[in-house]
Amino acid sequence: MEEAESKKKKAEFRLYNAMSKTVEVFEPIVPGKVGMYVCGVTAYDLSHIGHARAAVVFDVLFRFCRYLLHLDYEVTYVRNFTDIDDKENFLAQIIKRANDLGEDPLSLSNRFCEEYVADMKNLGCLPPTHQPRVTEHMENIKNMITQIMENGCAYAVDGDVNFAVDKSPNYGQLSGRKLEDNRAGERIAVDLRKQNPADFALWKAAKEGEPSWDSPWGPGRPGWHIECSAMSAHYLSFKFDIHGGGSDLIFPHHENELAQSSAASSDSKVNFWVHNGHVTNNQLKMSKSLGNFFTIRQVIEKYHPLPVRMFLLSNHYRTPLNYTVAQIEQASETAWFIYQTLQDCEVCLSPFQERLAKSGKKPVQIPGEAQACLTKLQEEFNDKLSDDLNTSQLVTGRKFNEALKYITLNLKPLKKQKQMSPLVHSIAAVGREVESVLRILGLLPTCSYDEVLQQLRERALVRAGLKAEDVVRLIEERTTARKNEKFGISDKIRADLAAKGIALMDEGKETVWKPCVPVVQGKWVGFVGWVRASVDSWVAFKWIYRFIGWFRRVTGLVDHSTSMKKQP
């Protein structure tokens, strides 16, 4: 009975619905199954960090839906590629870019679809159930256009087919816009052949030198909006649970999708419209049109993908996220602490792994402190994610860090353990729960902790402009300076490395290093270094002076018979 109640509580997932403008309890249309469609990228260039946020947010939603009811949910996740576009559309650029490069448009888009898949894999995103491309679904698109025309909601003119927004009584219900707000020339091309300036293209007649497909209305290619309606209906039917994308897609893309899907089928319904906020740069939306973007490749050259993903989840998904180096630096330091703790835990538990595996299916009594730590972490994780997928401060929050602290504080006594004990079971249980949180967030490494720590070091060296042997040499120079009591020199080496994001730690007789947030050296740091160096110099001078005095006395260079008193 208690387990059933626990499952019920765990399954109550609340999600913001852009249609109702409220947070609602999520209940799938078909019990135990979830259908989710997310608008993907227009493939004409490498994807930027804004695209990465959308992918990571919906990857976590995908993972969490599967986690609900102990993996009883079957989730079908569809994310499309726009691999051919309408040249006049204000967003799409495939044909223009291909012409600029002298490349076939389909070849160019195929290349960047593959690059996007590689980027998403680097960021730890699970592959969606289906990743359809527009060019693979021309028949579905043409059939839906025919259906809309037969229902009297579209008209053909000179080889084009336009959707008649006047035939859609609820047009604007998602975005809150009214038809009179849609002025020609603002995002909507001026076309005197349209019955209403707000009418939008379902099919566009072919133009010379551009890709085209045969259709009942003549050769051409689909408009931007119809693509997603046709593909979502093909894979999920006209009625499905979640339709996602960036907030910039609410109008016109999702508004037009909603109108044309409803016109094609009276059964059309999306239960939840979900949108992520933009990534900004200096508070401006990051976009290729503004030229203020960083590609995913550029960012992960310097920062490991795991802390980049951590940064992308650091704000609530509906709020804008401002890209700053400082935030990714902080995420990198947090990642190091988490994986170093789990690495230490794994090493200390290694002598007990076989016995832990054998006792894994048997109920084990966990001491009160550890059990409280487990319970609080589970509650915080479930409560935050169940409350509109709130990922902010999950891995930097109090309960998660208390779990890491519990592991860290108990590793020393664990090393003294020779037999299985409650402490061994406790640390193993807390470690597993920490890993469970990381797994749902997509932050659990696919390689060993030792490997990911080495990768974090390598990225830190790239940012510092150093090689591993450079750091080793500087550590040796610092050790020599300390032995010779030249503390000003040793302090300067340490401070200079810290300014580059390399922290030195003295562990017994050994000095090791780890990545850190670069420490900005202010004027007082420089002044203290100067004082220490000056003291070092004075100490050296003092000993030299004493040596000279002793040497002169021994060699008789000083006449001790001469009185030092003043003569009368």
Side-chain angles (χ1 to χ4, degrees):
M1 182 68 179
E2 288 182 4
E3 185 179 351
E5 287 299 316
S6 175
K7 272 191 172 186
K8 184 177 179 182
K9 182 180 179 182
K10 189 176 182 180
E12 188 169 282
F13 175 33
R14 299 172 299 282
L15 191 62
Y16 183 84
N17 190 349
M19 179 63 77
S20 65
K21 311 294 187 292
T22 59
V23 175
E24 303 174 12
V25 174
F26 175 77
E27 294 182 0
I29 295 170
V30 179
K33 294 186 177 182
V34 177
M36 180 169 73
Y37 184 92
V38 176
C39 293
V41 296
T42 299
Y44 71 95
D45 202 347
L46 292 174
S47 296
H48 58 64
I49 204 73
H51 298 134
R53 190 189 192 193
V56 167
V57 163
F58 288 104
D59 179 65
V60 172
L61 181 55
F62 178 35
R63 290 168 181 267
F64 190 57
C65 284
R66 298 201 311 174
Y67 168 79
L68 293 173
L69 285 177
H70 301 278
L71 303 181
D72 284 351
Y73 275 20
E74 177 188 329
V75 186
T76 302
Y77 174 21
V78 184
R79 184 183 65 211
N80 78 295
F81 285 108
T82 296
D83 61 342
I84 193 63
D85 58 16
D86 169 7
K87 185 179 178 181
E88 295 176 7
N89 185 276
F90 74 101
L91 284 176
Q93 296 288 334
I94 294 173
I95 296 173
K96 181 181 183 301
R97 182 78 189 281
N99 289 341
D100 291 343
L101 296 176
E103 187 175 353
D104 175 70
L106 297 183
S107 172
L108 177 133
S109 59
N110 180 67
R111 178 160 58 89
F112 285 114
C113 285
E114 297 304 319
E115 297 287 9
Y116 178 83
V117 169
D119 284 340
M120 294 308 104
K121 184 177 180 180
N122 280 335
L123 287 172
C125 293
L126 297 173
T129 316
H130 305 286
Q131 298 189 76
R133 302 185 186 192
V134 173
T135 54
E136 300 168 346
H137 292 82
M138 285 298 171
E139 292 306 312
N140 302 105
I141 291 169
K142 288 184 281 187
N143 290 339
M144 180 172 278
I145 294 173
T146 299
Q147 210 168 346
I148 294 171
M149 293 185 75
E150 289 175 352
N151 291 339
C153 296
Y155 56 93
V157 52
D158 300 334
D160 290 352
V161 179
N162 294 324
F163 183 86
V165 294
D166 291 329
K167 301 291 185 180
S168 179
N170 296 318
Y171 190 81
Q173 63 180 321
L174 179 63
S175 63
R177 294 171 66 106
K178 298 178 181 179
L179 277 177
E180 53 266 30
D181 296 333
N182 303 331
R183 293 171 291 181
E186 293 184 9
R187 292 192 172 195
I188 299 169
V190 177
D191 189 343
L192 298 178
R193 299 173 304 160
K194 292 182 178 180
Q195 296 174 3
N196 184 316
D199 292 350
F200 56 88
L202 300 177
W203 189 263
K204 293 195 71 69
K207 297 179 182 178
E208 188 176 351
E210 297 177 352
S212 64
W213 288 259
D214 290 332
S215 79
W217 318 283
R221 63 183 183 278
W224 176 35
H225 315 298
I226 193 66
E227 302 165 354
C228 288
S229 287
M231 288 186 285
S232 62
H234 176 72
Y235 288 98
L236 301 172
S237 82
F238 278 98
K239 189 179 290 187
F240 57 95
D241 299 293
I242 300 170
H243 195 316
S247 57
D248 57 321
L249 298 181
I250 295 175
F251 187 88
H253 187 49
H254 286 170
E255 191 71 75
N256 291 350
E257 268 194 75
L258 177 60
Q260 65 201 6
S261 294
S262 300
S265 172
S266 58
D267 291 332
S268 176
K269 179 173 175 59
V270 173
N271 263 11
F272 284 80
W273 291 87
V274 181
H275 302 94
N276 65 276
H278 301 137
V279 174
T280 60
N281 185 2
N282 291 325
Q283 310 306 322
L284 289 175
K285 179 196 169 188
M286 193 178 287
S287 70
K288 291 178 179 175
S289 60
L290 294 175
N292 65 340
F293 67 94
F294 299 97
T295 67
I296 298 168
R297 301 284 172 89
Q298 287 173 321
V299 176
I300 66 175
E301 279 178 5
K302 293 186 175 182
Y303 299 95
H304 193 282
L306 284 169
V308 172
R309 183 181 176 104
M310 197 176 290
F311 158 72
L312 293 169
L313 295 173
S314 61
N315 270 22
H316 191 280
Y317 76 91
R318 286 193 284 120
T319 62
L321 177 64
N322 196 40
Y323 177 89
T324 66
V325 168
Q327 288 193 73
I328 299 190
E329 292 278 7
Q330 186 60 59
S332 296
E333 187 166 75
T334 300
W336 175 272
F337 173 63
I338 293 170
Y339 302 132
Q340 181 66 70
T341 301
L342 292 173
Q343 160 74 353
D344 294 341
C345 179
E346 193 175 76
V347 169
C348 289
L349 287 174
S350 58
F352 307 100
Q353 286 302 336
E354 188 174 335
R355 283 169 286 179
L356 282 168
K358 287 180 180 179
S359 63
K361 295 181 180 179
K362 299 176 183 178
V364 178
Q365 188 67 32
I366 304 295
E369 183 185 0
Q371 188 58 58
C373 187
L374 280 171
T375 302
K376 290 176 182 178
L377 178 57
Q378 290 166 349
E379 287 177 351
E380 181 180 65
F381 176 72
N382 287 326
D383 289 348
K384 290 199 76 170
L385 277 195
S386 293
D387 184 16
D388 195 23
L389 205 71
N390 186 3
T391 60
S392 63
Q393 297 182 336
L394 259 179
V395 296
T396 57
R398 182 178 173 185
K399 306 306 179 188
F400 190 86
N401 278 281
E402 281 179 357
L404 294 175
K405 185 178 179 181
Y406 177 86
I407 294 172
T408 303
L409 291 177
N410 286 285
L411 287 180
K412 190 172 181 179
L414 177 64
K415 292 176 183 178
K416 299 177 182 178
Q417 301 283 315
K418 301 299 181 182
Q419 301 295 327
M420 290 294 289
S421 67
L423 181 62
V424 173
H425 286 292
S426 297
I427 293 178
V430 174
R432 283 194 300 270
E433 193 60 34
V434 167
E435 289 181 332
S436 178
V437 170
L438 295 175
R439 184 177 293 107
I440 300 300
L441 296 176
L443 294 172
L444 192 66
T446 55
C447 58
S448 70
Y449 294 124
D450 189 55
E451 287 174 304
V452 81
L453 290 170
Q454 181 56 33
Q455 292 165 8
L456 286 165
R457 283 191 191 94
E458 290 168 358
R459 294 301 204 289
L461 290 171
V462 170
R463 297 194 296 274
L466 297 170
K467 295 180 179 179
E469 50 266 34
D470 296 329
V471 179
V472 171
R473 175 178 52 78
L474 288 167
I475 288 175
E476 290 173 351
E477 288 179 9
R478 176 174 175 268
T479 302
T480 302
R482 294 178 75 197
K483 285 180 180 177
N484 295 327
E485 297 186 355
K486 295 182 178 179
F487 299 112
I489 294 175
S490 67
D491 287 352
K492 186 175 187 307
I493 291 172
R494 185 173 199 162
D496 287 348
L497 285 173
K500 294 181 178 181
I502 305 291
L504 300 186
M505 299 173 295
D506 298 316
E507 298 181 353
K509 295 181 179 180
E510 185 183 7
T511 300
V512 297
W513 71 273
K514 71 178 184 69
C516 70
V517 175
V519 178
V520 178
Q521 296 188 55
K523 60 183 180 180
W524 288 109
V525 174
F527 175 73
V528 170
W530 175 81
V531 169
R532 289 294 298 268
S534 299
V535 170
D536 290 346
S537 299
W538 165 247
V539 170
F541 174 76
K542 181 176 69 175
W543 282 104
I544 292 170
Y545 179 78
R546 286 180 176 178
F547 174 77
I548 292 172
W550 171 81
F551 182 77
R552 292 178 69 188
R553 287 194 299 273
V554 169
T555 57
L557 293 177
V558 178
D559 183 2
H560 295 288
S561 63
T562 304
S563 173
M564 298 299 293
K565 295 180 181 180
K566 290 184 179 180
Q567 296 297 322

